[in-house]
Amino acid sequence: MSESAIPNKLHDLPLKEADILCIVRGGGDTSHATFQPFHSVIAKDYLHELKRQGVIIITGIGHFTDEFIIERASTFNEAMPTAAAYI
């Protein structure tokens, strides 16, 4: 998976102000390639721009001990997908 996987997938969605975007992924070996998009500065910057436009971004990736770059662009961040579902 590439560093621009998240922006590439979200690009065609008609997201607008007050829409809610949830990005969740269960835990696992965070060095695995499937976690690479969550560590991407490109994705963080893209999500930050969506948030600037008024999109509400909720992230819940991995477990309590995991930290991902894209979480810095979220409106609300939870440590796990289940916790994000309760927001």
Side-chain angles (χ1 to χ4, degrees), residues 4-74:
S4 57
I6 292 172
N8 288 346
K9 297 293 182 185
L10 295 177
H11 183 266
D12 293 330
L13 290 177
L15 295 168
K16 59 191 179 306
E17 185 176 358
D19 280 349
I20 299 171
L21 172 65
C22 296
I23 301 175
V24 296
R25 201 253 192 231
D29 180 358
T30 59
S31 66
H32 193 271
T34 58
F35 280 97
Q36 182 181 1
F38 305 109
H39 290 294
S40 167
V41 172
I42 295 167
K44 177 193 63 85
D45 292 345
Y46 185 85
L47 293 172
H48 183 73
E49 179 58 25
L50 286 177
K51 187 170 85 170
R52 191 190 67 72
Q53 295 172 16
V55 175
I56 299 163
I57 301 170
I58 301 171
T59 55
I61 306 164
H63 295 292
F64 286 105
T65 58
D66 300 328
E67 187 174 337
F68 299 92
I69 291 172
I70 68 163
E71 294 170 335
R72 297 177 191 162
S74 65

